[in-house]
Amino acid sequence: MNKPHLRYKNQTPKERYWTIHLVTAFKIFKGLIMLFVGIKLLTLYNTDVAEWFMDFVNRHGINPENKYVVKILEKVTGISNTQIVFFSIAAFVYSALQFVEGIGLWLEKRWAELLTVVATSLLIPVELYEIYENSRLCA
Amino acid sequence: MVLFVNLFVVWYLATRLRDEEKEISHDDKS
């Protein structure tokens, strides 16, 4: 079997079709996750998020002394309702953006390609910063 | 891993847009 080409200009029409549709699937998947996160955050309105998180950890048999669990617990302790609503709205906006990109790419619209390039590349510095911060904190 | 996927998406779509642009301008000339 021939190795699939990743460069656009070297690809066969079938490979182009599959690459675009895999990107679409990735965008829709991210959109669904963020939609779920947004809804879940709204259900936590007026509840103690730290308490809910510890209950979640215990229910799923996760070690409560795990360093990631401790770190998340530190972050979620004392989260206010305003912050919950803010994060929920942010999750819904990001989810909507992912769906617009995904559906636009599925329909092979040029504006969707431009939107995806701009929106995705704008978030790459943020991701790099997060990776740098996490590696610094874990070291 | 998500970072690598995002880098690939940007690189792939940007080269796709550039190559399509070239094809369009080539068609206009001929």
Side-chain angles (χ1 to χ4, degrees):
Chain A
M1 202 177 119
N2 290 335
K3 205 174 152 207
H5 295 103
L6 290 178
R7 284 175 74 108
Y8 172 77
K9 68 175 182 182
N10 297 335
Q11 284 184 321
T12 62
K14 199 179 170 188
E15 285 170 340
R16 288 177 182 177
Y17 174 89
W18 277 107
T19 312
I20 283 293
H21 286 78
L22 277 175
V23 174
T24 302
F26 178 65
K27 294 285 173 191
I28 299 287
F29 177 67
K30 276 209 299 191
L32 284 172
I33 288 179
M34 291 318 283
L35 185 65
F36 175 76
V37 168
I39 294 168
K40 185 67 212 169
L41 281 171
L42 282 184
T43 65
L44 294 175
Y45 194 81
N46 272 341
T47 54
D48 185 346
V49 183
E51 201 182 296
W52 170 83
F53 179 68
M54 277 325 287
D55 185 47
F56 177 88
V57 167
N58 291 331
R59 254 186 300 137
H60 291 84
I62 304 166
N63 178 13
E65 279 162 28
N66 181 296
K67 66 175 179 179
Y68 297 108
V69 171
V70 174
K71 219 177 265 177
I72 294 172
L73 188 64
E74 275 171 20
K75 285 197 173 175
V76 298
T77 305
I79 280 192
S80 66
N81 277 342
T82 321
Q83 281 172 307
I84 290 177
V85 172
F86 175 78
F87 288 130
S88 177
I89 291 171
F92 284 130
V93 169
Y94 190 69
S95 165
L97 177 69
Q98 297 300 305
F99 282 128
V100 169
E101 286 177 10
I103 293 165
L105 286 173
W106 183 268
L107 300 172
E108 295 185 47
K109 299 288 180 194
R110 202 174 158 80
W111 57 259
E113 292 177 16
L114 272 168
L115 176 70
T116 309
V117 169
V118 173
T120 312
S121 56
L122 280 177
L123 290 174
I124 285 174
V126 182
E127 285 179 41
L128 285 171
Y129 175 75
E130 284 296 321
I131 290 171
Y132 168 74
E133 272 295 302
N134 282 339
S135 63
R136 209 168 57 97
L137 290 175
C138 290
Chain B
M1 199 217 137
V2 174
L3 174 68
F4 287 117
V5 176
N6 283 342
L7 283 171
F8 170 74
V9 168
V10 170
W11 168 74
Y12 181 81
L13 290 177
T15 51
R16 180 180 154 104
L17 283 165
R18 186 197 61 191
D19 291 353
E20 279 175 351
E21 201 76 52
K22 272 185 198 165
E23 277 168 32
I24 292 166
S25 59
H26 189 258
D27 288 349
D28 285 347
K29 276 177 195 167
S30 61

